[in-house]
Amino acid sequence: MTTLYEHGTLAALMAGNLAGTLSLKELLTHGSTGLGTFDGVDGEVVILDGEVYQADATGRVNHVTDPNVMLPFASVHFPGNDQQAVTVTATSKAALQTALTTKYQLANVFAYVRVSGEFDHVKVRIAPKQTQPYPSLLEVAKHQPVFEQTHVSGTLLGYYAPDIFGTVTAAGWHLHFISDDRQFAGHVLEFTGGELTGELEIFDSLEQHLPIHDQAFRQGKVDLDSLKAGIYAAEG
Ligand SMILES: [Zn+2]
């Protein structure tokens, strides 16, 4: 069994429930690799082999060792024995996504990819930390700093979710990047690169964890139509 563990939902973030609801310590008991964001959507988190990095809105990358930091949303797993070797010529983000989704028949499954190599250009966005009362994720998305690097070697990692789960998590590929020197990271908007190598893994199980002790989450009302429009605007 290969399980993807997700804490929080995209719908809750869209509704402005941005407070951290799970500790990093607890999250790491469910996976050693993954991505997410901290309390108040404070930056973009990359978890690689149990090491936690946060790109903050100034563009700096912090190595996070405090187990008590809280996350409102995260996806993690323990890389297992079912990984398939991947080599792709990734001329663009769209080309990589299409190649992986088609070749590995991902349309109706959850999957993970991690590939490394030389990138000609990488463009990321980094969510800036919000304070109470929280805006919706759509409002946050309108004011997110963007950073770019050229000629950078690093790793892309993230998850694929089928369309039908698109209000629980981000449908399609959700990819974060971190450079080999750990100086540049973020939520990937675009890239161009050459040959990338790494692993892909397909999950047969999804463990969706909910922040049941969070009153904002418990009392939140979801309007499905405006939620979908908002997700399209914020993530699309
Ligand atoms: Zn992200």
Side-chain angles (χ1 to χ4, degrees):
M1 195 168 90
T2 53
T3 302
L4 170 61
Y5 177 89
E6 295 209 317
H7 172 72
T9 66
L10 183 56
L13 294 181
M14 291 304 299
N17 299 339
L18 308 182
T21 41
L22 185 76
S23 71
L24 182 60
K25 182 181 174 185
E26 173 68 19
L27 180 70
L28 292 175
T29 67
H30 299 281
S32 60
T33 294
L35 47 77
T37 186
F38 286 139
D39 183 58
V41 292
D42 186 8
E44 307 290 335
V45 172
V46 174
I47 306 173
L48 265 179
D49 307 322
E51 297 296 319
V52 182
Y53 302 91
Q54 173 212 27
D56 68 29
T58 68
R60 217 177 65 180
V61 179
N62 309 300
H63 186 202
V64 179
T65 54
D66 178 0
N68 298 315
V69 292
M70 302 292 284
L71 305 95
F73 184 84
S75 306
V76 296
H77 78 292
F78 288 108
N81 300 323
D82 301 328
Q83 300 195 57
Q84 309 178 54
V86 169
T87 301
V88 279
T89 303
T91 50
S92 71
K93 183 182 171 198
L96 174 84
Q97 295 182 154
T98 304
L100 293 176
T101 310
T102 306
K103 182 175 179 190
Y104 296 94
Q105 297 183 294
L106 302 181
N108 298 307
V109 295
F110 284 81
Y112 159 75
V113 75
R114 171 181 176 170
V115 286
S116 302
E118 298 288 327
F119 293 78
D120 298 328
H121 172 237
V122 180
K123 183 174 174 182
V124 299
R125 69 148 201 241
I126 302 177
K129 181 174 170 60
Q130 306 296 307
T131 50
Q132 305 255 21
Y134 291 127
S136 74
L137 195 62
L138 181 57
E139 281 305 311
V140 178
K142 289 175 183 166
H143 314 283
Q144 294 188 112
V146 169
F147 299 89
E148 301 182 62
Q149 279 237 320
T150 52
H151 306 296
V152 56
S153 59
T155 296
L156 275 176
L157 80 149
Y159 297 97
Y160 178 87
D163 270 347
I164 58 161
F165 289 87
T167 54
V168 177
T169 187
W173 286 101
H174 179 191
L175 298 171
H176 285 193
F177 177 86
I178 188 162
S179 63
D180 287 349
D181 64 10
R182 307 294 188 242
Q183 299 294 304
F184 176 74
H187 174 107
V188 177
L189 295 177
E190 290 166 24
F191 67 84
T192 53
E195 190 176 88
L196 305 175
T197 58
E199 310 85 53
L200 181 136
E201 191 163 355
I202 295 171
F203 301 101
D204 61 12
S205 303
L206 170 69
E207 183 175 354
Q208 175 63 56
H209 184 254
L210 299 174
I212 62 166
H213 301 297
D214 184 76
Q215 283 306 309
F217 177 74
R218 292 296 291 275
Q219 293 167 13
K221 286 198 178 66
V222 175
D223 176 81
L224 203 53
D225 290 336
S226 62
L227 172 65
K228 285 178 177 170
I231 288 172
Y232 183 78
E235 299 285 317

